[in-house]
């Protein structure tokens, strides 16, 4: 059984969040005594959203996490914060707009657009769906891959958390080509690039509405993380296809032990209610059926 | 003029909307379209347009064409409209008319010199609610209007649902101040300024503030206060920072205060809009109505509204507001 921690941070100031991250890692017994030289951090930068919307990982949260990692692994470790271009989002703009470039300068870490780095083209098949991914060399050299997702709903694949966040590690920019079998593609990239640690930025979440939830959620198992997140969001994790597929492919466990204040977050997450789900279904069908204009 | 032979230059989001609407105008024949994207030209050809060009000058060379719609990125407005005027075409130009006052002056004088009609696409003037507001102001329904607050806030060009099912790439010129000419204040604020000038006439004084939430060289937050010579104090709030959408006008007068929501419609309204279009009922769509107005003006040889002069006046106020805001930043 995998451990998933839920830590509540009431004040979103530097010391409280730093303490919260450390506590969250301690609750999952994360081992800091290993030898780590190169750390890759993958936040969720899906579009040009402001971090206060809860749609993208806050660069400030990443900066605090960097301090926690440096405190525990030593100052000498090389830290890379990475994202890749997507069909509609270009890193050269997003890094600037969201404040990642300023954060990287301030923390003296390397900010990398994976689309512009060297990568290997790797074929993989998941559930009879064949994919070609561009896996950046950086991941082959990394000692620790830290996945820093948001915790939010997504109409295509129900939730966007740890597993979906790794989709952005594929250096190939035109990601819409994977959308026909997105669940399989998510599992595929997770098979090629393994997450060592997930630290979810749930300080602000985007659920039914945006809410300052004060959640820091951690696990070493991305499948367990997503299973727990789905439950928190009021969904049956078995109904989230990429989670069950990831479990079947041996990427992690679907049974987990919640550590910390799970019940508080279960009560306070801004969940979609039945009306929202119905409305979402109607509008998504409508948007697909009727032409624009 | 019998039927108007029209050319459409630029088939981005707005160009496509214009093309679809033109197909339903009885007094218009779309003779040709131009765009650099083959995908967009294919879209037009599927609608039955026979002449699709990658170079817009081919449209301007076509002597059968009387008028063109220019729906290009801001930095191409000047060049395309000057060439259109030189070729003797009447023009409907998407807003903003140019990137700055100088460009607008140049465009306007080219059309005046050639005695051609120029209309600027401030489609909100044709919004049924806006029309009602203006009528009520003129009728004295509000008494003497003292304060107006207009707000236009959205994600601007960074629209995650701009093709309504998923994100589409943001063309790089939007990020470049030189090419775009300005940020949210020019893009969205120009709509509101145009309406206020239409409602209340000449501006006496301007005060403004701009801000950069997203660290770009173009502003994404702007607030401007206008004092009208014979009218109220008006506040214009604009922004590109929000994933939500608000477009509203509040009018406070000595007799009545009212708040009008001009926001994008909800799903039910959108479905109704599509049903209306299916059955050929376009009477409430501002984009359709503005084109119908332009075509009617061409047929009847009347001045379109908003005209090139209106476009220039709007830019003069925008430029004044930018100047005031930059002065504050400098100091």
């Amino acid at each position: 059984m995998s451990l998933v921690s839920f830590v509540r941070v009431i004040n979103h100031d530097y010391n409280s969040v730093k303490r919260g991250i450390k506590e969250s890692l301690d609750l999952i017994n994360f081992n800091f005594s290993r030898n780590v030289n190169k750390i890759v951090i993958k936040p969720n930068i899906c579009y040009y959203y402001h971090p206060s919307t809860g749609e993208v990982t806050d660069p400030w949260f990443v900066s605090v996490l960097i301090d926690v990692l440096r405190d525990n692994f030593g100052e000498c470790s090389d830290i890379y914060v990475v994202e890749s271009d997507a069909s509609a989002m270009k890193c050269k703009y997003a890094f600037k707009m969201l404040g990642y470039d300023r954060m990287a300068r301030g923390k003296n870490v390397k900010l990398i657009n994976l689309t512009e780095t060297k990568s290997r083209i790797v074929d993989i098949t998941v559930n009879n769906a064949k994919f070609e991914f561009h896996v950046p060399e950086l991941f082959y050299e990394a000692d620790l891959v830290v996945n820093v997702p948001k915790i939010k709903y997504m109409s295509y694949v129900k939730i966007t958390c740890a597993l979906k966040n790794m989709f952005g590690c594929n250096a190939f920019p035109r990601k819409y080509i994977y959308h026909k079998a997105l669940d399989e593609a998510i599992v595929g990239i997770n098979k090629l690039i393994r997450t060592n640690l997930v630290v979810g930025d749930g300080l602000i979440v985007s659920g039914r509405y945006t809410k300052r939830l004060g959640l820091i959620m951690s696990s070493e198992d991305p499948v367990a993380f997503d299973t727990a997140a789905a439950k928190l969001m009021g969904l049956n994790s078995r109904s989230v296809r990429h989670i069950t597929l990831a479990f079947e492919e041996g990427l992690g466990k679907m049974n987990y032990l919640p550590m910390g204040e799970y019940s508080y977050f279960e009560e306070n997450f801004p969940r979609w209610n039945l009306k929202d789900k119905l409305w979402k279904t109607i509008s998504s069908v409508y948007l697909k059926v009727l032409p624009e204009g | 003029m019998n039927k108007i032979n029209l050319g459409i230059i630029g088939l981005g989001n707005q160009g496509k909307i214009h093309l679809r609407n033109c197909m339903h105008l009885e007094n218009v024949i779309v003779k040709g379209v131009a765009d650099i994207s083959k995908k967009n030209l294919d879209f037009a050809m599927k609608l039955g347009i026979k002449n699709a060009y990658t170079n817009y000058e081919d449209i301007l060379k076509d002597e059968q064409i009387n008028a063109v719609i220019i729906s290009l990125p801001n930095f191409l407005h000047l060049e395309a409209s000057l060439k259109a005027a030189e070729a003797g075409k009447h023009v409907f130009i998407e807003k903003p008319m140019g990137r700055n006052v100088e460009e607008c002056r140049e465009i306007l004088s080219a059309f005046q010199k050639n005695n051609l009609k120029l209309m600027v696409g401030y489609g909100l003037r044709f919004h049924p609610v806006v029309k009602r507001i203006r009528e009520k102001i003129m009728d004295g329904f509000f008494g003497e209007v003292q304060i107006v607050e207009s707000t236009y806030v959205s994600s601007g060009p960074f629209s995650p649902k701009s093709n309504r099912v998923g994100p589409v790439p943001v063309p790089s010129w939007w990020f470049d101040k030189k090419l775009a000419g300005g940020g949210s204040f020019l893009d969205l604020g120009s709509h509101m300024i145009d309406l206020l000038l239409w409602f209340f006439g000449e501006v006496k004084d301007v005060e403004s503030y701009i801000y950069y939430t997203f660290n770009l060289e173009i502003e994404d937050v702007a607030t401007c206060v206008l004092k009208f010579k014979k009218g109220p104090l008006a506040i214009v709030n604009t922004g590109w920072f929000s994933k939500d959408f608000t477009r509203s006008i509040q009018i406070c007068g000595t007799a009545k205060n009212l708040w009008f929501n001009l926001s994008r419609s909800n799903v039910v309204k959108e479905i109704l809009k599509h049903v209306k279009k299916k059955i050929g009922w376009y009477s409430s769509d501002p984009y359709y109505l503005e084109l119908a107005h332009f075509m009617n003006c061409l047929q009847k040889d009347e001045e379109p509204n908003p005209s090139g002069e209106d476009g220039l006046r709007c830019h003069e106020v925008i430029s004044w507001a930018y100047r005031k805001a930059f002065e504050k930043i400098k100091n």
Side-chain angles (χ1 to χ4, degrees):
Chain A
M1 194 176 281
S2 298
L3 300 179
V4 181
S5 65
F6 299 83
V7 171
R8 187 179 171 196
V9 180
I10 295 169
N11 300 316
H12 293 192
D13 58 79
Y14 176 80
N15 288 329
S16 306
V17 172
K18 194 174 174 190
R19 254 197 322 270
I21 293 174
K22 182 67 171 61
E23 187 189 337
S24 148
L25 297 179
D26 288 343
L27 282 170
I28 59 166
N29 301 324
F30 183 71
N31 177 14
F32 281 109
S33 60
R34 66 184 97 176
N35 189 20
V36 169
N37 294 316
K38 195 176 256 190
I39 300 172
V40 176
I41 297 176
K42 168 64 178 73
N44 178 339
I45 309 177
C46 57
Y47 196 66
Y48 312 113
Y49 292 114
H50 196 266
S52 60
T53 59
E55 298 281 356
V56 292
T57 306
D58 194 330
W60 179 76
F61 182 83
V62 175
S63 77
V64 182
L65 174 65
I66 288 167
D67 286 351
V68 173
L69 295 173
R70 277 185 172 148
D71 285 354
N72 292 278
F73 285 121
E75 284 291 327
C76 57
S77 46
D78 264 347
I79 297 181
Y80 297 79
V81 176
V82 302
E83 184 55 90
S84 66
D85 287 345
S87 307
M89 186 281 295
K90 301 289 163 243
C91 288
K92 77 169 174 178
Y93 300 124
F95 286 160
K96 189 170 186 229
M97 288 174 72
L98 274 57
Y100 271 88
D101 58 350
R102 204 167 39 203
M103 181 279 291
R105 277 196 305 273
K107 288 289 159 191
N108 198 22
V109 296
K110 294 177 185 83
L111 187 61
I112 306 287
N113 176 0
L114 295 171
T115 303
E116 292 170 356
T117 62
K118 219 171 148 192
S119 59
R120 293 180 199 175
I121 297 175
V122 186
D123 294 322
I124 193 164
T125 303
V126 177
N127 199 25
N128 295 324
K130 288 180 182 171
F131 302 100
E132 190 182 75
F133 287 114
H134 295 221
V135 181
E137 289 287 345
L138 189 60
F139 288 102
Y140 295 104
E141 300 153 7
D143 301 309
L144 186 74
V145 175
V146 186
N147 182 346
V148 194
K150 293 301 291 185
I151 299 148
K152 56 181 188 172
Y153 295 107
M154 192 212 182
S155 48
Y156 276 131
V157 289
K158 292 195 172 177
I159 66 165
T160 293
C161 292
L163 291 165
K164 169 68 173 64
N165 189 36
M166 293 305 280
F167 187 60
C169 295
N170 176 18
F172 188 66
R174 294 199 295 277
K175 294 187 170 64
Y176 62 84
I177 64 163
Y178 303 95
H179 278 199
K180 278 185 185 164
L182 188 53
D183 289 297
E184 283 80 1
I186 291 169
V187 174
I189 195 76
N190 276 277
K191 281 179 83 174
L192 295 172
I193 305 169
R194 294 299 179 104
T195 294
N196 303 114
L197 172 66
V198 188
V199 183
D201 168 14
L203 295 182
I204 297 171
V205 292
S206 164
R208 188 177 170 214
Y209 48 87
T210 300
K211 183 170 180 174
R212 197 177 273 255
L213 191 64
L215 165 65
I216 297 171
M217 197 175 152
S218 299
S219 181
E220 288 178 279
D221 177 345
V223 180
F225 184 99
D226 278 14
T227 307
K231 184 160 185 269
L232 186 77
M233 296 157 87
L235 299 172
N236 178 356
S237 55
R238 302 234 161 245
S239 75
V240 183
R241 197 146 162 267
H242 65 267
I243 298 180
T244 53
L245 261 178
F247 168 68
E248 284 160 20
E249 293 282 341
L251 292 175
K253 295 170 184 152
M254 283 183 75
N255 53 348
Y256 63 92
L257 190 61
M259 310 294 289
E261 294 186 60
Y262 175 75
S263 55
Y264 169 81
F265 296 110
E266 193 177 32
E267 282 164 25
N268 287 280
F269 192 91
R271 292 177 174 186
W272 277 352
N273 56 25
L274 192 64
K275 194 177 132 197
D276 295 321
K277 286 177 191 170
L278 191 68
W279 198 234
K280 197 81 191 162
T281 311
I282 292 170
S283 51
S284 66
V285 169
Y286 153 74
L287 287 171
K288 279 171 194 164
V289 172
L290 287 169
E292 199 180 343
Chain B
M1 201 182 288
N2 291 327
K3 283 205 172 187
I4 292 143
N5 292 325
L6 185 78
I8 300 178
I9 299 173
L11 288 175
N13 281 344
Q14 202 57 38
K16 283 186 191 130
I17 291 171
H18 290 319
L19 171 60
R20 281 197 210 95
N21 285 332
C22 285
M23 307 296 284
H24 292 90
L25 286 168
E26 284 177 2
N27 54 353
V28 173
I29 301 167
V30 182
K31 280 278 180 186
V33 292
D35 197 280
I36 50 166
S37 154
K38 198 182 166 295
K39 200 176 146 194
N40 290 343
L41 293 179
D42 286 344
F43 167 86
M45 285 161 91
K46 275 184 196 156
L47 290 178
I49 309 300
K50 288 188 184 115
N51 302 318
Y53 306 104
T54 49
N55 184 348
Y56 71 78
E57 293 192 34
D58 291 328
I59 284 192
L60 301 180
K61 277 181 206 157
D62 187 337
E63 287 184 357
Q64 280 191 314
I65 290 177
N66 322 107
V68 292
I69 293 175
I70 296 176
S71 187
L72 291 169
N74 298 356
F75 66 96
L76 294 171
H77 281 195
L78 176 69
E79 181 194 292
S81 48
L82 292 185
K83 282 182 177 168
E86 206 176 300
K89 313 292 183 202
H90 302 289
V91 165
F92 174 97
I93 189 166
E94 253 314 313
K95 66 90 213 171
M97 189 170 156
R99 285 173 293 179
N100 49 49
V101 174
E102 291 71 32
E103 285 194 355
C104 295
R105 283 203 186 112
E106 216 176 317
I107 292 170
L108 182 62
S109 93
F111 281 83
Q112 285 170 337
K113 198 174 92 188
N114 291 293
N115 199 21
L116 292 164
K117 301 212 186 302
L118 174 66
M119 177 168 168
V120 185
Y122 285 116
L124 271 184
R125 286 200 189 192
F126 296 85
H127 193 294
V129 177
V130 171
K131 279 182 155 178
R132 233 173 21 246
I133 295 172
R134 189 167 186 270
E135 279 163 20
K136 284 185 183 298
I137 291 170
M138 300 305 159
D139 284 351
F141 174 82
F142 297 100
E144 224 170 74
V145 179
Q146 297 298 328
I147 291 174
V148 178
E149 181 160 7
S150 64
T151 300
Y152 200 159
V153 171
S154 71
S155 51
F158 317 114
S159 174
K161 282 189 180 159
S162 44
N163 72 351
R164 309 197 319 145
V165 283
V168 292
V170 182
S172 57
W173 65 268
W174 280 109
F175 296 93
D176 189 328
K177 192 178 176 180
K178 275 189 193 145
L179 299 180
S184 69
F185 193 59
L186 178 62
D187 181 41
L188 306 179
S190 61
H191 274 294
M192 291 315 197
I193 303 260
D194 174 66
L195 290 187
L196 293 168
L197 293 173
W198 191 42
F199 293 165
F200 304 111
E202 260 181 278
V203 171
K204 193 171 139 193
D205 198 11
V206 175
E207 203 49 78
S208 63
Y209 295 85
I210 56 175
Y211 185 66
Y212 305 83
T213 315
F214 280 117
N215 313 308
L216 293 171
E217 55 176 8
I218 43 173
E219 82 285 352
D220 45 43
V221 182
T223 286
C224 163
V225 184
L226 309 176
K227 176 69 190 108
F228 285 86
K229 274 187 183 162
K230 288 179 191 168
L233 268 174
I235 302 166
V236 180
N237 304 309
T238 67
W240 276 350
F241 53 83
S242 181
K243 59 181 242 202
D244 204 352
F245 185 94
T246 298
R247 192 168 60 192
S248 64
I249 297 179
Q250 184 174 17
I251 299 196
C252 301
T254 50
K256 190 82 182 167
N257 305 334
L258 277 180
W259 182 80
F260 300 91
N261 184 6
L262 311 174
S263 288
R264 190 181 290 163
S265 45
N266 60 30
V267 174
V268 175
K269 284 184 185 168
E270 280 268 302
I271 291 171
L272 278 175
K273 198 173 96 184
H274 279 286
V275 173
K276 278 182 186 174
K277 283 191 177 177
K278 286 273 171 209
I279 59 171
W281 185 19
Y282 277 76
S283 60
S284 60
D285 180 356
Y287 293 133
Y288 174 81
L289 293 173
E290 66 176 348
L291 287 181
H293 169 76
F294 178 62
M295 304 308 166
N296 288 338
C297 287
L298 293 187
Q299 279 192 317
K300 293 177 188 164
D301 194 22
E302 289 171 359
E303 258 318 288
N305 176 10
S307 63
E309 283 89 347
D310 293 328
L312 172 63
R313 259 196 298 277
C314 181
H315 256 279
E316 283 169 345
V317 175
I318 289 166
S319 162
W320 192 351
Y322 270 133
R323 213 166 43 241
K324 286 285 195 142
F326 291 139
E327 273 169 18
K328 286 189 193 74
I329 292 171
K330 266 188 197 167
N331 298 330

